């Protein structure tokens, strides 16, 4: 292997690590929240987090590697779906832990089976829809960034402490410094360098503890049905099907965001492969007693900022996740990064995703009041339910799961309004209404 190839591999390794750090806190958040709510023991929690990280890597590999039926083959990273937290806690506390995993496996099978049918919705996602969707994905994640920047726990007295604000600000300045003044590979890993140097700065302020590393085990072996044997209940299965449908809609937005970045035109077959790969990931998550996976939108920001649009760094990210899942001490290293550091990095990443959506909308004809209405109402609806999810608090819980998800609300509003006002876009980029071609050249 010559020096150039070695250098390329090393660079891809660091780029992969950057992806892992960008998604790590979000990846472990779901098992932490569910395990704590269901009062899992320390041993159960240790297993839960480790196997979740490991299976995240496996699920990501399923997306990267194209087969005749699975794999979208784009720089996609998967992680535990945050929208699954509340329903899984409810299922686990009322029907038992086994019911959570039975419902998860069933939902995964459902996703795999309907992947081809769901992919046909691609024709209903012209630029005015995808631009609105990607804008909302980015800007509605900004509160998550601020939550972490302030310390991660709004109820804590230390939330918003000046030291947290300073750490986040220093992290942002470091990232921006590398983005604006560095070149080549160093510029591409600006986020990683910002997180590392931000953590070093936080350590000088006494905000970093190595105790999690010291207490973590060296090796962990995943075991199917370790926490509970699946049981199957109709109500739980229906609930989880609703959840995975929202995840599929979110993934659709991420697929289009990455397609826009990489210059790739997605076919229905590509998207069907992506959905089926997610379905397999969800099935495996139930078998190994972790939780449903979906495509992580925060990693789109990493691709956007790094400028590296190949799959190789994601392969390294998946391998790193698998190693971390098997060797918990390495996983614990990522947990010592202060929330304020991650929040600062997230603030930059999520903002760039939102602007990417705005850039897509820049090519939409807003001289047409129809397009203006579609974008205004869909973006407004998505941001609105993020700020005030209580708006729907008197609706049934199952419906709330759908209408309080900003990406789902934006998708539904944008697709329905576009169908009513503009018709749909066919595979040749032609706008079709009432069976007639109205305008050409509108496909992404």
């Amino acid at each position: 292997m010559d020096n150039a190839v070695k250098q390329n591999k090393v660079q891809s390794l660091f780029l992969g690590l950057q992806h892992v750090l960008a998604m790590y806190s979000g990846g472990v958040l779901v098992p932490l929240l569910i395990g704590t709510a269901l009062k899992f023991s320390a041993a159960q929690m240790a297993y839960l987090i480790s196997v979740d990280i490991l299976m995240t890597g496996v699920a990501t590999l399923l997306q990267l590697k194209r087969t005749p039926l699975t794999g979208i083959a784009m720089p996609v990273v998967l992680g535990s779906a945050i929208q699954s937290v509340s329903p899984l806690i409810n299922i686990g506390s009322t029907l038992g832990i086994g019911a959570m995993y039975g419902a998860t496996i069933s939902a995964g099978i459902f996703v795999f089976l309907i992947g081809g049918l769901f992919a046909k919705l691609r024709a209903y996602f012209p630029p005015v829809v995808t631009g609105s969707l990607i804008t909302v994905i980015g800007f509605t994640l900004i509160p998550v960034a601020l939550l972490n920047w302030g310390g991660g726990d709004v109820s804590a007295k230390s939330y918003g402490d000046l030291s947290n604000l300073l750490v986040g600000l220093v992290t942002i300045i470091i990232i921006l410094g590398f983005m604006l003044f560095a070149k080549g590979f160093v510029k591409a890993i600006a986020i990683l360098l910002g997180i590392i140097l931000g953590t070093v700065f936080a350590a000088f302020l006494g905000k970093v503890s190595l105790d999690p590393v010291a207490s973590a085990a060296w090796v962990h072996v995943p075991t199917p049905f370790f926490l509970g044997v699946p049981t199957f209940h109709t109500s739980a299965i229906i609930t989880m099907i609703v959840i995975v449908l929202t995840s599929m809609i979110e993934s659709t937005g991420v697929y289009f965001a990455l397609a826009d970045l990489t210059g790739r035109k997605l076919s229905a077959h590509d998207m069907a492969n992506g959905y089926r790969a997610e379905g397999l990931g969800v099935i495996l998550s139930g078998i190994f007693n972790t939780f449903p996976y979906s495509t992580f939108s925060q990693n789109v920001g990493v691709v956007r900022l790094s400028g590296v649009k190949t799959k190789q760094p994601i392969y390294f990210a998946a391998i790193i996740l698998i190693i971390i899942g098997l060797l918990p001490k390495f996983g614990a290293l990522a947990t010592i990064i202060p929330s304020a550091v991650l929040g600062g990095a997230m603030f930059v990443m999520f903002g760039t995703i939102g602007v990417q959506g705005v850039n897509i909308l820049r090519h939409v004809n807003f001289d047409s009041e129809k397009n203006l209405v579609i974008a205004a109402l869909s973006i407004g609806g998505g941001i609105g339910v993020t700020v005030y999810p209580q708006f729907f608090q008197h609706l049934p819980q199952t419906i709330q799961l759908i209408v309080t998800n900003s990406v789902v609300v934006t998708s539904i509003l944008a697709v329905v309004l576009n169908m009513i006002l503009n018709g749909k876009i066919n595979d040749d980029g032609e706008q079709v209404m009432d069976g007639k071609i109205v305008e050409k050249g509108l496909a992404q």
Side-chain angles (χ1 to χ4, degrees):
M1 186 181 295
D2 58 36
N3 289 335
V5 174
K6 287 181 180 178
Q7 184 181 26
N8 186 50
K9 295 285 187 184
V10 171
Q11 290 179 354
S12 293
L13 173 62
F14 279 103
L15 288 165
L17 179 60
Q18 183 171 248
H19 275 282
V20 169
L21 293 181
M23 59 77 65
Y24 194 86
S25 63
V28 300
L29 179 62
V30 171
L32 279 172
L33 290 173
I34 296 176
T36 301
L38 296 179
K39 296 180 171 51
F40 280 12
S41 67
Q44 287 176 316
M45 288 295 287
Y47 171 86
L48 191 61
I49 293 172
S50 292
V51 77
D52 182 74
I53 297 166
L54 185 147
M55 296 311 299
T56 295
V58 172
T60 299
L61 285 177
L62 289 173
Q63 277 288 28
L64 291 172
K65 182 64 176 175
R66 180 186 291 278
T67 73
L69 288 177
T70 61
I72 199 165
M74 288 202 300
V76 168
V77 178
L78 273 71
S80 294
I82 190 67
Q83 58 264 40
S84 67
V85 171
S86 178
L88 283 174
I89 290 173
N90 183 52
I91 292 169
S93 59
T94 56
L95 298 174
I97 293 174
M100 292 194 306
Y101 299 118
T104 297
I105 292 170
S106 301
I109 294 171
F110 173 81
V111 172
F112 188 89
L113 292 177
I114 71 158
L117 178 63
F118 202 82
K120 296 184 184 300
L121 295 178
R122 187 186 70 87
Y124 299 93
F125 284 81
V128 68
V129 174
T130 57
S132 300
L133 183 54
I134 295 166
T135 299
V136 166
I137 286 175
F139 290 149
T140 56
L141 284 171
I142 294 295
V144 178
L146 292 179
L147 172 67
N148 282 276
W149 188 351
D153 183 0
V154 178
S155 63
K157 290 184 179 180
S158 61
Y159 182 79
D161 184 86
L162 288 179
S163 63
N164 286 330
L165 302 187
L166 178 61
V167 167
L169 179 61
V170 168
T171 302
I172 291 173
I173 291 172
I174 293 170
I175 292 172
L176 294 181
F178 283 115
M179 284 176 59
L180 296 174
F181 302 111
K183 295 181 179 180
F185 176 64
V186 175
K187 179 177 181 178
I189 59 169
I191 299 168
L192 175 62
L193 293 173
I195 291 173
I196 292 173
L197 295 177
T199 301
V200 172
F201 176 74
F204 281 112
L205 299 181
K207 301 181 75 65
V208 176
S209 171
L210 295 176
D211 290 343
V213 180
S215 60
W218 278 105
V219 180
H220 165 269
V221 179
T223 306
F225 311 127
F226 179 82
L227 296 174
V229 177
T231 59
F232 299 90
H233 302 264
T234 303
S235 60
I237 291 171
I238 292 173
T239 299
M240 289 312 299
I241 284 175
V242 171
I243 296 304
V244 294
L245 281 171
T246 65
S247 294
M248 291 175 77
I249 295 173
E250 282 192 280
S251 295
T252 302
V254 175
Y255 295 162
F256 279 117
L258 287 170
D260 181 69
L261 280 174
T262 58
R264 175 174 164 184
K265 183 179 179 181
L266 289 176
S267 67
H269 179 69
D270 292 330
M271 297 183 68
N273 276 18
Y275 298 135
R276 292 191 198 104
E278 282 197 26
L280 282 182
V282 174
I283 293 170
L284 289 173
S285 73
I287 292 172
F288 284 93
N289 288 168
T290 178
F291 305 114
Y293 297 120
S294 64
T295 306
F296 262 29
S297 53
Q298 47 262 60
N299 290 85
V300 178
V302 179
V303 175
R304 175 71 180 82
L305 288 174
S306 70
V308 179
K309 303 167 186 177
T310 65
K311 293 183 295 179
Q312 190 174 60
I314 313 299
Y315 273 110
F316 276 103
I319 292 168
I320 291 170
L321 287 166
I322 291 171
I323 292 172
I324 288 174
L326 293 172
L327 305 174
K329 273 199 185 296
F330 286 94
L333 281 172
T335 67
I336 71 173
I337 301 171
S339 294
V341 172
L342 292 172
M346 288 175 178
F347 188 76
V348 179
M349 288 190 299
F350 298 161
T352 61
I353 298 173
V355 172
Q356 182 194 347
V358 173
N359 188 51
I360 295 173
L361 290 174
R362 187 167 58 89
H363 302 289
V364 174
N365 177 22
F366 281 119
D367 289 334
S368 166
E369 290 186 356
K370 294 179 180 179
N371 286 332
L372 191 65
V373 167
I374 293 166
L377 294 185
S378 58
I379 293 173
I383 292 175
V385 299
T386 300
V387 178
Y388 283 110
Q390 304 92 330
F391 185 78
F392 296 110
Q393 63 182 333
H394 296 296
L395 294 178
Q397 182 68 31
T398 303
I399 297 177
Q400 285 188 48
L401 292 172
I402 301 172
V403 296
T404 57
N405 185 305
S406 61
V407 176
V408 175
V409 168
T410 300
S411 298
I412 292 173
L413 285 174
V415 169
V416 171
L417 287 172
N418 183 67
M419 277 296 299
I420 294 171
L421 299 177
N422 284 336
K424 74 173 183 176
I425 307 299
N426 66 21
D427 289 339
D428 296 319
E430 299 164 336
Q431 188 179 82
V432 180
M433 195 164 189
D434 297 327
K436 299 179 180 179
I437 297 175
V438 180
E439 190 173 350
K440 295 184 178 182
L442 296 176
Q444 298 212 73

